[in-house]
Amino acid sequence: MNSMTAAVERLSDIRKRITEAAREAGRDPQSVRLIAVSKTFDVPHIVPVIEAGQRLFGENRVQEAKAKWPDLKAQFPDLELHLVGALQSNKAKEAVQLFDAIHSIDRPKIARVVADEMDKQGRKLKLFIQVNTGEEPQKAGVMPGELEDLVRYCREELRIDLAGLMCIPPVDEEPAVHFAFLAKRAEELGLKELSMGMSADFETAIAFGADYVRVGSAIFGER
Ligand SMILES: *Cc1c(COP(=O)(O)O)cnc(C)c1O
């Protein structure tokens, strides 16, 4: 079996596991949306996954996404492309042109340039604030202590309608603690959606209320 057929089989397995995890959590399986993170995989690897019915995809770099997605989006107009990696302000224009959602808003400046671009381009993206729940120095995301100020800035100064919060738990810690924390902060701040859970921990994330899970290697294979 080649790696492309394997991706389609793994996609189907992941979908089953999402359904099971949602049922176990007493949730509607339809309420959990799967983002297939296709970073580092090229178009021939992605097309079979689209043809198998997957519509939400994630990339972590604007340049890489620009090389892969404009043609695919023209061909499949109902595709949704999510930026899950860090965004530099000099890439905001291209990001707003290409993506339908950004999961990595983590400072006032990037929120402001994205808001400006959405205005200019007349586009409305779904925006998540990434929270550095483990307070890891090398990791992107707003520190938990600065989250409330950032949310207020987005709402009051920029008039952005935020979708919710996103996190990536530290690799060596129990993810449940971080997912529970993110869910609690979202609730306290009146934010509806949670982007959390990757290949290794999406079932746990679903138990804690994930609306979007971002799964890469468990579908496409090791990078
Ligand atoms: C790569 C990536 C994922 C997917 O990770 P896997 O472990 O391959 O499932 C999810 N979220 C973000 C932000 C990523 O960069």
Side-chain angles (χ1 to χ4, degrees):
M1 184 165 60
N2 70 32
S3 65
M4 296 167 201
T5 341
V8 170
E9 301 234 324
R10 284 189 295 251
L11 172 72
S12 146
D13 176 56
I14 295 292
R15 289 203 165 286
K16 285 192 196 117
R17 287 170 58 189
I18 288 173
T19 299
E20 253 168 62
R23 291 220 176 100
E24 251 171 64
R27 301 183 51 195
D28 175 4
Q30 303 289 333
S31 71
V32 182
R33 275 153 295 176
L34 169 64
I35 301 173
V37 179
S38 49
K39 66 189 185 198
T40 78
F41 289 91
D42 58 13
V43 171
H45 283 88
I46 296 170
V47 169
V49 175
I50 300 174
E51 285 172 346
Q54 178 63 27
R55 285 298 176 270
L56 275 58
F57 287 85
E59 290 283 342
N60 69 336
R61 289 177 180 196
V62 177
Q63 286 314 109
E64 182 184 341
K66 252 183 76 178
K68 286 154 63 173
W69 287 96
D71 288 351
L72 289 172
K73 284 189 102 181
Q75 221 178 312
F76 301 92
D78 58 340
L79 285 179
E80 243 183 59
L81 195 57
H82 293 241
L83 178 62
V84 298
L87 175 61
Q88 304 302 321
S89 45
N90 63 1
K91 298 269 164 56
K93 179 178 174 183
E94 292 171 314
V96 169
Q97 282 166 346
L98 182 60
F99 288 94
D100 302 290
I102 298 176
H103 294 242
S104 51
I105 301 294
D106 65 355
R107 55 195 189 279
K109 184 180 177 192
I110 204 71
R112 180 164 45 78
V113 293
V114 166
D116 286 349
E117 279 301 330
M118 291 196 303
D119 272 351
K120 266 191 222 159
Q121 298 182 31
R123 276 179 58 76
K124 200 158 182 278
L125 277 65
K126 206 178 234 293
L127 300 179
F128 293 84
I129 291 183
Q130 181 176 352
V131 186
N132 187 351
T133 58
E135 307 198 31
E136 297 171 279
Q138 82 288 1
K139 196 170 265 176
V142 64
M143 289 295 170
E146 292 162 16
L147 172 61
E148 188 167 358
D149 280 348
L150 181 57
V151 169
R152 189 179 307 121
Y153 175 75
C154 289
R155 283 175 169 158
E156 293 175 11
E157 305 288 323
L158 305 177
R159 305 281 162 197
I160 289 177
D161 188 16
L162 293 167
L165 301 179
M166 176 272 222
C167 77
I168 307 171
V171 287
D172 54 351
E173 287 182 28
E174 178 48 59
V177 175
H178 295 269
F179 298 151
F181 175 78
L182 200 72
K184 175 172 164 282
R185 291 305 285 137
E187 166 124 53
E188 287 165 353
L189 294 163
L191 293 164
K192 288 208 182 67
E193 297 188 305
L194 296 169
S195 165
M196 57 189 198
M198 317 199 321
S199 291
D201 55 18
F202 67 88
E203 285 145 319
T204 306
I206 290 168
F208 284 90
D211 300 281
Y212 288 90
V213 293
R214 312 177 309 267
V215 178
S217 51
I219 295 171
F220 290 100
E222 292 306 319
R223 291 181 292 269

